[in-house]
């Protein structure tokens, strides 16, 4: 029978964690009682350097029942690294499903994911049916970002975040990806294998505040774009070529104006081209610098995460015993 691990990255989630834990309990009860997963399936909470009571609450959950496991990172490494840490420490499961702790993703979609896995799919994406819960600005920027990724030659799944099922086979292949600059939403489709998607409606956040304000979202999008595609560097070359052609045209125009004695002396004709070329140069240098910075981080080969503490289940606990415990989790 399929052993499931639900991976839940957490950063300052003390307000929503009790409700999340309860609903995960209830889900495990349903899936185990319906014989869709084995009784030793579990949920793994990954504390990404939280500054509140998130880790102590995870410890309390684990001590109450071994179906809850915990992974504490030594500091805040970021959502993608925390997610990778959780996936890397769930190697005893047949399938792993990652989901955020804010309860916005519909837990009932997990049953659909497991059904797709049983049909032979190694990767199953959780995809939002619509973005009605988002503001107009967020919908517009999200659409623009996905289109930009497509233009840059990056394969991505529209309206998919990090709610997905990965088989152990698929994740074993992903282990060969050694990048420090992680953007899992664009990297997972590169694995190939048999893939599909299930659709669900996204709910509003149950408690707490979003950990992705606008500035952080823009930074995450930029990291994703520059981590997966080198086409922006080609844009620098194209821009340089266009500016060079424009400069030749301007030179010819200036020469003709000089020979025809039709030159106009003015501040704008001198300063504006200088500002334009200077701006283009600074933009291109900055873009190249982004890639140089990423190369710098890659060649240093620093660890993508550091584990401070790992709360595991008891390997000697009988499956039948765990089944009886899990069946009373929601009570």
């Amino acid at each position: 029978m399929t052993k499931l691990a639900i991976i839940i990255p957490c950063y300052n989630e003390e307000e929503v964690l009790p409700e999340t834990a309860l609903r995960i309990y209830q889900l495990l009860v349903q899936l185990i009682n319906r014989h869709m997963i084995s009784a030793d399936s579990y949920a793994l909470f990954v504390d990404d350097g939280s500054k509140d009571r998130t880790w102590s609450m995870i410890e309390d959950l684990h001590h109450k029942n071994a179906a809850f496991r915990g992974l504490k990172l030594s500091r805040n490494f970021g959502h993608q690294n925390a997610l990778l840490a959780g996936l890397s420490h769930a190697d005893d499961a047949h399938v792993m499903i990652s989901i955020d702790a804010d309860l916005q993703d519909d837990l009932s979609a997990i049953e659909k994911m497991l059904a797709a896995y049983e049909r032979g799919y190694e990767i199953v994406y959780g995809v939002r049916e619509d973005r009605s819960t988002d503001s107009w600005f967020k919908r517009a920027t999200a659409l623009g970002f996905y289109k930009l990724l497509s233009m840059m030659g990056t394969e991505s799944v529209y309206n998919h975040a990090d709610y997905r099922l990965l088989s152990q086979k698929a994740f074993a292949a992903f282990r060969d990806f050694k990048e420090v600059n992680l953007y899992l939403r664009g990297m997972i489709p590169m694995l190939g294998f048999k893939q599909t998607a299930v659709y669900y409606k996204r709910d509003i956040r149950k408690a707490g505040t979003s950990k992705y304000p606008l500035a952080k979202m823009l930074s995450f999008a930029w990291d994703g774009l520059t981590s997966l595609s080198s086409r922006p560097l080609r844009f620098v070359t194209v821009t340089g070529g266009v500016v060079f052609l424009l400069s030749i045209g301007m030179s010819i125009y200036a020469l003709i104006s000089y020979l025809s004695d039709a030159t106009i002396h003015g501040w704008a004709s001198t300063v504006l081209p200088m500002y334009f070329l200077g701006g283009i140069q600074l933009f291109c240098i900055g873009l190249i610098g982004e890639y140089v910075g990423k190369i710098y981080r890659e060649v240093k080969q620093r660890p993508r995460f550091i584990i401070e503490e790992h709360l595991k289940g008891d390997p000697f606990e009988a499956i039948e015993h765990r089944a009886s415990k899990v069946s009373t989790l929601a009570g």
Side-chain angles (χ1 to χ4, degrees):
M1 191 176 293
T2 301
K3 182 175 181 178
L4 168 67
I6 302 177
I7 313 300
I8 310 149
C10 303
Y11 179 67
N12 294 341
E13 298 288 2
E14 67 174 354
E15 293 182 55
V16 74
L17 196 58
E19 179 67 17
T20 301
L22 176 61
R23 291 182 57 179
I24 294 293
Y25 268 140
Q26 293 171 338
L27 178 68
L28 288 175
V29 169
Q30 295 171 9
L31 296 178
I32 290 173
N33 290 341
R34 294 171 61 182
H35 305 290
M36 295 188 66
I37 60 174
S38 63
D40 54 348
S41 299
Y42 59 91
L44 174 59
F45 291 97
V46 183
D47 179 25
D48 187 23
S50 297
K51 295 178 174 59
D52 60 5
R53 295 179 54 252
T54 296
W55 178 246
S56 62
M57 295 173 70
I58 293 173
E59 287 182 310
D60 186 55
L61 287 169
H62 172 72
H63 293 148
K64 288 181 178 178
N65 195 286
F68 283 130
R69 300 186 184 183
L71 196 65
K72 188 177 191 300
L73 305 189
S74 62
R75 63 172 178 83
N76 179 250
F77 285 88
H79 179 273
Q80 299 291 278
N81 289 299
L83 182 52
L84 179 63
L87 293 170
S88 301
H89 286 77
D91 53 2
D92 59 340
H94 298 119
V95 295
M96 299 164 288
I97 295 179
S98 56
I99 187 171
D100 289 338
D102 56 18
L103 295 179
Q104 289 187 267
D105 296 318
D106 185 5
L107 287 176
S108 66
I110 289 180
E111 183 176 340
K112 300 176 184 178
M113 292 181 181
L114 291 170
Y117 171 74
E118 294 298 332
R119 297 196 303 271
Y121 290 98
E122 304 289 343
I123 302 173
V124 185
Y125 302 104
V127 179
R128 298 172 62 170
E129 290 184 350
D130 56 58
R131 305 188 73 95
S132 57
T133 57
D134 290 345
S135 65
W136 174 88
F137 178 78
K138 190 169 184 178
R139 286 196 299 270
T141 53
L143 177 61
F145 174 63
Y146 284 115
K147 287 186 176 180
L148 182 59
L149 280 180
S150 179
M151 290 171 57
M152 293 295 108
T154 299
E155 185 179 358
S156 61
V157 180
Y158 182 63
N159 275 345
H160 163 70
D162 288 297
Y163 189 21
R164 71 178 72 86
L165 176 148
L166 282 177
S167 71
Q168 197 59 243
K169 178 180 179 181
F171 186 68
F174 184 78
R175 288 179 183 272
D176 291 333
F177 286 65
K178 303 301 182 182
E179 290 101 316
V180 172
N181 302 285
L182 293 177
Y183 185 71
L184 299 181
R185 303 176 192 183
M187 296 169 69
I188 296 299
M190 298 168 62
L191 292 175
F193 296 110
K194 194 175 180 181
Q195 307 181 9
T196 190
V198 299
Y199 295 86
Y200 68 96
K201 288 188 177 295
R202 188 171 172 86
D203 201 356
I204 60 173
R205 187 180 178 92
K206 299 300 181 183
T209 58
S210 172
K211 305 307 182 294
Y212 273 90
L214 178 60
K216 196 169 183 179
M217 286 177 59
L218 293 175
S219 176
F220 182 62
W222 179 250
D223 284 342
L225 178 63
T226 53
S227 295
L228 296 172
S229 175
S230 61
R231 287 194 182 182
L233 288 176
R234 191 172 300 169
F235 172 76
V236 171
T237 303
V238 173
T239 302
V242 171
V243 171
F244 175 70
L245 293 176
L246 289 175
S247 299
I248 292 177
M250 288 290 292
S251 299
I252 295 174
Y253 171 77
L255 180 60
I256 294 174
S257 297
Y258 174 78
L259 293 177
S260 63
D261 198 25
T263 55
I264 299 175
H265 301 284
W267 176 85
S269 61
T270 301
V271 174
L272 291 181
M274 180 177 65
Y275 282 175
F276 174 73
L277 292 175
I280 291 293
Q281 289 173 337
L282 288 175
F283 172 76
C284 294
I285 291 172
L287 183 58
I288 294 172
E290 283 285 335
Y291 281 90
V292 172
K294 289 185 181 297
I295 294 171
Y296 174 73
R297 289 193 292 270
E298 293 289 346
V299 298
K300 291 176 78 71
Q301 296 185 335
R302 288 177 177 171
R304 291 176 286 191
F305 53 84
I306 298 174
I307 304 301
E308 181 176 334
E309 192 171 351
H310 188 190
L311 304 176
K312 302 179 181 179
D314 185 357
F316 301 104
E317 191 174 10
I319 291 179
E320 293 80 3
H321 184 212
R322 293 201 66 215
S324 65
K325 290 177 69 177
V326 173
S327 66
T328 61
L329 288 180

